[in-house]
Amino acid sequence: MALEKKPEDGFQADAEELMNNKSRELLARLAYAPSVCPALKGACTRLEADDTFTFDLHREALIQLPGIAKNPVQRILPVNAVEVEDKNRKKVKIAIVFSGGPAPGGHNVIAGLFDAAKEANPHSDILGFLMGPEGIIEGMYQPLSRELVDSHRNLGGFSMIRTGRTKVDTKEKIILSRKTCKELGIDALVIVGGDDSNTNAAFLAENFLEDGVQVIGVPKTIDGDIQVADASGQPLCGVSFGFHTAALAFSRDIANLCTDAASDVKYWHICKVMGRVASHLALEVALQTHPTLTLIGEELADYLDEERLAAAEKKGERDYTAYGMTLRHLSRLVCNAIVQRAAAGKNYGVLVIPEGLLEFINEIQALIIKLSTLIAEYNRTHDTDFHSDLPDLDKKMNFLRRLAREAEERACISVWNQRDHDFFSDIPDFFKEGLLMERDSHGNFQFSQVETDKIIVGLVKDYLKILKEKGIYKVGIDRKWYENTLLRGGLKPDTFTSALFRNKDAKEAPLLFKEHIISVKTLTLALEKAGLLQDGGVPPAILKVFRKSEPDFRMQPHFYGYDGRGSDPSPFDCDYTYNLGRTVFALISGGATGQMAVIRNLEKDVSQWEPMGIPLAALMHLEERKGKMMLVMEKKLVDVDSKAFRAFKAMGEIWLAAGPGEDPCRRPDPVWMTGEKDKPLTLRINQL
């Protein structure tokens, strides 16, 4: 009996209904009302300077940012509406701009600011500069209506007004930005971004003082490297927004790879996660998923080769190359983990690395600094730029070779010498090209574009080959499988055990072939010596066992970055960013400028959160950019003495699981819009 067909238009209507973008997740997000901390619940607030928080202000900040350098930390406190002066309820025009890469929760910063401003005065205007700071320079903007804001609440991305990486870093750009704000009648400018963007906010605040335009920064980066404590160590900003959501997104995927690796038992998954300068994301992912091995860059930077130091001391010398991790040391570290697990019969695993791992390798960091300086110097002294004049690797290498030769001929101190060039020449071409690639608009080396995983795998494969030839890298053989295989081949297992295995008496551990048995030839010799070689040569069952012991290192690379930063925010980030938006308005209505909006006590319940403004100038230090020292916001690296890192280190051997039994992988909770609100584990552990 033929099925009755529905009319085509009916089918299409049903199909569209099934495929519509009004998913349950979207509806739940749009309906979600973020929790608000007590100080921000009312329409009216006041600012109170708090002198208990102090900073060691860099003297260069006093010179370059004199107008905002002495700003205090400002607490935000609630007040009754009747106590508020008219100026706090006046109509204002506030502009907001996203700067840099997206981070989950940005739309809620706008929503919190919008709601707070409209509650104070329904006639206030909020507009968004489009495409990042370029929108300020070019005067590209969009008024933000309630309908537009409501349609983006609790959603990921920066699509409402989009973002960009233009930097307002010249007199001409500052003049154009001031002109735009003056023509639009802007009372306050809000810059949502990372360390470079908040550096931008500090200098704009200084330059806008004359115009009476307030500038407030908001800490945004999934890298988690904006963390602030005062001079005495009191935490003021525990983490930037977007970090928690991105870490959860990466963790869910990496946990799936842990499951896959233990199922297919033939791959090592190399997972590179975002984190150009700091390894916070790698650490959080490790705490969330318990991968086989995680490399934290900040720990590698503190590495000390005790064996080399001891050897040098015996000779009465000091080996300075023993301080800090080298590429050689790094490959040994990874290989040791691979060899240990292979011996346990687990020739698979999951390795997590931060994208900026190579910056913590001394010899690579030195190369990056030198090459960045040379490129910046070239661009300053030529009418064209380095990459236009020298478009391919051969031309770049010729340029560097000439510099090294000139330094040697003149016998002078040079940024690039023959020793640098010799080392650089020995590394693979794809790595050379990566180190010589064009820097970003801030002069930063673009680690996400370098195939860090490929570099590490290349080094590891080379060393594993050596270990395999030495008979050290072998796959452990399950004792029961060995016995069954020999019995099915008509052989007595106990007869061959002593001749083949170096740990024959181990009752639970997998059997390991003796180190000198590395080929069929050496296997034949071992059997012949033991009087076990048959007329036809090596028995097929023995050969089958030997082949199973031969390791085959297979790698699957993965990069986690853009997918995580585009995720819909977790409930924690939804609440956090909404409160940040309301904090921004409280700072603006209180007359603040040159401040960064933060929430203190993030590890606690929302009822204990403390909104405040901290001085941007106090967060600055001098850093090398484009070959010269510049005043920029200081990034926070992973503290290897922190509780979270110590907890991670304490579990290293357990998570490596180089023994019998299943791997102790952890499955992180999904992002629930209903139910208990989770928080970053690093944040929670550090406050234990």
Side-chain angles (χ1 to χ4, degrees), residues 393-678:
L393 181 60
D394 287 340
K395 290 181 179 179
K396 291 181 174 71
M397 289 300 294
N398 287 335
F399 171 76
L400 294 173
R401 189 178 298 110
R402 186 174 70 251
L403 289 180
R405 187 172 62 248
E406 289 175 356
E408 191 171 28
E409 290 173 353
R410 297 178 183 178
C412 62
I413 297 175
S414 173
V415 172
W416 193 257
N417 56 43
Q418 193 60 48
R419 182 179 176 184
D420 297 323
H421 193 72
D422 290 343
F423 174 71
F424 189 65
S425 299
D426 286 340
I427 64 179
D429 283 353
F430 77 88
F431 192 15
K432 290 191 189 85
E433 292 174 344
L435 292 172
L436 284 166
M437 74 172 60
E438 193 167 356
R439 273 46 179 169
D440 67 15
S441 59
H442 305 301
N444 298 320
F445 180 72
Q446 300 187 74
F447 280 102
S448 63
Q449 303 301 314
V450 178
E451 296 176 288
T452 309
D453 44 5
K454 187 176 178 181
I455 295 163
I456 292 175
V457 169
L459 293 167
V460 166
K461 281 185 173 180
D462 289 343
Y463 191 53
L464 285 178
K465 185 178 180 180
I466 295 172
L467 295 179
K468 187 176 179 180
E469 291 173 352
K470 290 182 177 181
I472 297 172
Y473 180 32
K474 295 177 181 292
V475 178
I477 303 298
D478 180 77
R479 185 179 292 271
K480 289 184 178 179
W481 179 85
Y482 161 73
E483 292 173 349
N484 289 336
T485 301
L486 263 64
L487 288 171
R488 292 177 68 181
L491 303 175
K492 294 181 179 180
D494 291 343
T495 304
F496 291 86
T497 304
S498 296
L500 299 177
F501 303 113
R502 61 177 183 253
N503 63 336
K504 60 184 179 63
D505 296 326
K507 294 183 178 180
E508 294 185 2
L511 294 167
L512 285 171
F513 271 85
K514 292 180 178 179
E515 290 185 356
H516 68 275
I517 303 178
I518 61 172
S519 63
V520 175
K521 287 186 177 181
T522 54
L523 173 63
T524 303
L525 291 173
L527 292 176
E528 184 178 25
K529 184 177 180 181
L532 298 172
L533 193 64
Q534 298 180 352
D535 293 340
V538 178
I542 297 295
L543 189 59
K544 181 178 181 180
V545 173
F546 174 72
R547 292 301 187 196
K548 192 175 183 65
S549 76
E550 291 184 305
D552 179 18
F553 179 73
R554 301 185 190 182
M555 179 272 293
Q556 292 288 347
H558 309 267
F559 175 57
Y560 296 100
Y562 304 107
D563 46 348
R565 72 183 196 181
S567 299
D568 285 329
S570 65
F572 168 77
D573 271 327
C574 286
D575 291 353
Y576 181 18
T577 48
Y578 186 77
N579 280 267
L580 277 175
R582 297 187 74 95
T583 299
V584 166
F585 180 74
L587 291 170
I588 292 171
S589 65
T593 190
Q595 300 287 80
M596 185 169 75
V598 300
I599 306 288
R600 193 163 179 253
N601 295 336
L602 285 171
E603 73 283 356
K604 299 178 181 178
D605 185 77
V606 177
S607 62
Q608 299 180 66
W609 285 5
E610 297 178 6
M612 55 179 57
I614 55 179
L616 284 167
L619 310 180
M620 304 291 168
H621 76 147
L622 286 179
E623 190 175 300
E624 186 273 331
R625 294 287 178 88
K626 297 183 180 180
K628 62 181 181 179
M629 301 305 291
M630 299 178 68
L631 191 67
V632 297
M633 178 182 283
E634 186 173 11
K635 298 180 180 70
K636 173 66 175 177
L637 303 183
V638 169
D639 180 3
V640 294
D641 293 322
S642 68
K643 295 174 183 175
F645 185 80
R646 297 204 317 263
F648 157 77
K649 285 297 292 180
M651 300 302 292
E653 288 298 320
I654 296 174
W655 296 349
L656 181 62
E662 293 188 2
D663 296 337
C665 298
R666 179 178 186 269
R667 289 175 169 81
D669 292 326
V671 176
W672 293 107
M673 289 313 294
T674 58
E676 185 177 352
K677 297 175 183 177
D678 201 2

Side-chain angles (χ1 to χ4, degrees), residues 58 84 90 94 105 157 205 240 263 346 349 372 443 449 540 569 602 628 664:
H58 198 289
V84 180
K90 70 177 183 178
I94 302 171
S240 51
S263 303
K346 300 175 179 179
S372 295
Q449 303 301 314
L602 285 171
K628 62 181 181 179

Side-chain angles (χ1 to χ4, degrees), residues 67-264:
I68 64 171
K70 294 296 182 68
N71 282 4
V73 170
Q74 294 173 311
R75 287 184 178 274
I76 297 171
L77 303 174
V79 293
N80 294 325
V82 294
E83 301 174 6
V84 180
E85 299 178 14
D86 289 341
K87 67 177 183 179
N88 288 335
R89 284 187 171 279
K90 70 177 183 178
K91 176 183 176 181
V92 292
K93 180 178 280 190
I94 302 171
I96 187 167
V97 63
F98 290 141
S99 179
H107 289 143
N108 270 25
V109 176
I110 292 179
L113 171 63
F114 184 91
D115 290 351
K118 292 295 185 179
E119 287 168 15
N121 189 321
H123 301 292
S124 290
D125 295 320
I126 311 296
L127 60 86
F129 281 118
L130 303 177
M131 305 304 297
E134 182 183 0
I136 309 174
I137 298 168
E138 302 293 339
M140 301 182 296
Y141 69 95
Q142 176 177 341
L144 302 183
S145 64
R146 181 166 295 281
E147 182 182 14
L148 180 63
V149 172
D150 286 350
S151 66
H152 287 81
R153 289 179 188 270
N154 307 307
L155 300 186
F158 283 180
S159 58
M160 190 193 303
I161 56 175
R162 299 177 294 285
T163 187
R165 294 188 178 276
T166 300
K167 191 172 183 180
V168 187
D169 56 355
T170 65
K171 289 183 179 179
E172 292 75 17
K173 291 178 182 178
I174 290 174
I175 290 171
L176 289 172
S177 298
R178 290 178 65 179
K179 180 181 178 184
T180 296
C181 290
K182 187 174 182 179
E183 289 177 349
L184 293 176
I186 301 297
D187 297 300
L189 174 65
V190 182
I191 298 177
V192 181
D195 57 292
D196 283 320
S197 302
N198 275 280
T199 297
N200 224 170
F203 282 94
L204 286 176
E206 181 70 29
N207 282 277
F208 283 13
L209 284 174
E210 184 180 336
D211 301 329
V213 177
Q214 299 164 254
V215 180
I216 303 296
V218 181
K220 174 273 317 175
T221 169
I222 68 167
D223 289 356
D225 54 13
I226 296 183
Q227 298 177 24
V228 180
D230 77 343
S232 66
Q234 296 184 81
L236 293 168
C237 177
V239 69
S240 51
F241 81 77
F243 171 79
H244 180 238
T245 303
L248 278 182
F250 301 155
S251 296
R252 292 287 296 174
D253 286 345
I254 291 173
N256 290 340
L257 290 179
C258 291
T259 301
D260 178 84
S263 303
D264 208 17

